[in-house]
Amino acid sequence: MHDQDTPPPGARYDALEQSVLYRLTNGLPIWSVPDLGRELDNPAGVEDAVYGLRTAGLIHQTADGFVFATRAAFRMVEIVGKVA
């Protein structure tokens, strides 16, 4: 038997979005999506997370593909803190 339960896919996706958001609000203020994917060791997942965060209004993406957190994202991290 397994000692730990495998998290459902939705929880893993949420955790990846959190990781992307925390990376963008802590440290370098702007990243290329490929660099962010390499940093988090999940290039395809990061592209999906960037899309989700962008459509939620938590990050902006420049015409040349760089991403950065919105003011709302900084405020959300301020309120919630880093939990993951």
Side-chain angles (χ1 to χ4, degrees), residues 4-84:
Q4 296 177 343
D5 292 329
T6 303
R12 288 191 303 250
Y13 181 75
D14 289 347
L16 181 58
E17 280 188 333
Q18 277 184 340
S19 295
V20 168
L21 200 54
Y22 291 140
R23 183 69 61 186
L24 291 173
T25 57
N26 227 346
L28 293 176
I30 190 165
W31 287 78
S32 73
V33 176
D35 284 344
L36 198 52
R38 283 189 292 276
E39 177 73 16
L40 297 175
D41 199 29
N42 189 348
V46 165
E47 284 189 30
D48 291 340
V50 163
Y51 177 79
L53 291 168
R54 189 170 47 81
T55 58
L58 293 173
I59 64 174
H60 290 301
Q61 189 166 19
T62 64
D64 55 354
F66 288 90
V67 292
F68 58 96
T70 64
R71 177 68 189 121
F74 278 97
R75 182 66 180 136
M76 192 235 30
V77 169
E78 224 174 68
I79 291 169
V80 174
K82 184 167 181 171
V83 293

